[in-house]
Amino acid sequence: MQTCFFRRTLVVLSVLTLGATVPALAQSTAPPKSEPQSYPERTALWEKAIVAFETADREKGTPPPGGILFVGSSSIVQWKTLATDFPGLPTINRGFGGSHIPDSTFYAARIVLPYAPKTVVLYAGDNDIAAGHTSAQVTGDFQTFALKIRSALPEAKILYLAIKPSPSRWKFQDRIQAANKNIADWIGTQKNMAFVDVHTPMLGENGEPRPELYVADRLHLSPEGYKLWTQVLAPYLKP
């Protein structure tokens, strides 16, 4: 159990070892009392979903190593067309809806590392911002995730899909843009990582989210939204 999971000092020490500069991490606002924010309490939210992945692997067989593993929140969970969107590429979907970046980090040993993927694609941070996390905190949490993957899978490519500009969360746009910029800047100091900017093309000429890219809840992606993501991401997945 990772009892020190949220100690940011570990992130700073790890990144400094790699010669990168980490932005100062600010405190988040108070999270909703109904949702635990630390482990082991937070396992109550996701353990069922993680066990379902492990059960599927036992029953159907574990995907072979060297695949492209997608992990993160509901935008990954609902990407049902991964296999057809990226034909010929061995995609694995291990998203669990409502999750934050630290949840993917905590469960990486069970839903990322066992597959020894060639590429790891993360989409998360959206829910983190909505829960009151600062842009600096989201940046630090991504660094923790990336460094954990890098430590265990030094040859794996790590791709971060930018936090999208959802109409229903437009009030958080400033924080979202700041988090995206901070993460992109840090990724620029790292090897074999890339920031995939799906945020910019999701904005219309008026600078606001394009409504056709979202379903009725104005948060999750429509087929047109996933089509755009596929077009932007595809060049990063080429062998």
Side-chain angles (χ1 to χ4, degrees):
M1 190 66 65
Q2 301 179 11
T3 57
C4 297
F5 180 73
F6 286 101
R7 292 179 60 186
R8 305 301 177 205
T9 53
L10 293 181
V11 181
V12 175
L13 290 174
S14 298
V15 178
L16 289 177
T17 301
L18 296 181
T21 300
V22 183
L25 301 182
Q27 297 294 321
S28 65
T29 57
K33 294 182 179 180
S34 60
E35 182 175 294
Q37 294 296 302
S38 60
Y39 287 94
E41 292 80 13
R42 201 163 166 80
T43 58
L45 299 173
W46 315 123
E47 188 65 17
K48 184 176 179 180
I50 304 306
V51 169
F53 291 140
E54 295 170 331
T55 300
D57 287 344
R58 287 195 300 271
E59 295 178 349
K60 301 178 182 179
T62 302
I68 301 169
L69 189 138
F70 289 73
V71 67
S73 56
S74 56
S75 293
I76 297 298
V77 177
Q78 297 184 22
W79 201 338
K80 306 297 186 182
T81 56
L82 275 178
T84 54
D85 288 342
F86 303 104
L89 297 179
T91 58
I92 306 167
N93 191 321
R94 289 297 177 266
F96 47 116
S99 59
H100 298 177
I101 295 175
D103 299 317
S104 290
T105 308
F106 183 83
Y107 284 112
R110 293 169 64 183
I111 62 172
V112 178
L113 306 186
Y115 306 103
K118 178 181 179 180
T119 302
V120 177
V121 182
L122 173 70
Y123 180 81
D126 201 331
N127 296 322
D128 312 49
I129 293 289
H133 297 189
T134 66
S135 58
Q137 183 177 356
V138 172
T139 303
D141 287 339
F142 171 72
Q143 291 166 346
T144 304
F145 173 84
L147 292 172
K148 182 170 186 175
I149 302 302
R150 175 65 72 245
S151 176
L153 302 171
E155 301 302 318
K157 179 187 291 185
I158 300 172
L159 303 177
Y160 182 76
L161 296 175
I163 304 171
K164 67 184 187 296
S166 303
S168 66
R169 291 178 173 173
W170 189 240
K171 63 184 177 181
F172 304 126
Q173 177 67 353
D174 288 347
R175 255 189 292 159
I176 288 172
Q177 287 183 311
N180 282 337
K181 183 181 185 305
N182 289 344
I183 291 172
D185 288 347
W186 182 74
I187 285 176
T189 70
Q190 304 299 304
K191 294 182 179 180
N192 210 20
M193 290 189 199
F195 178 84
V196 183
D197 184 12
V198 294
H199 182 103
T200 302
M202 297 183 77
L203 298 173
E205 293 182 359
N206 62 356
E208 297 181 0
R210 295 164 53 189
E212 74 274 14
L213 302 179
Y214 303 85
V215 295
D217 66 5
R218 303 169 69 241
L219 173 63
H220 295 99
L221 298 182
S222 68
E224 282 299 308
Y226 282 114
K227 182 178 179 181
L228 184 151
W229 277 26
T230 299
Q231 293 171 343
V232 175
L233 179 59
Y236 294 88
L237 302 182
K238 292 181 178 179

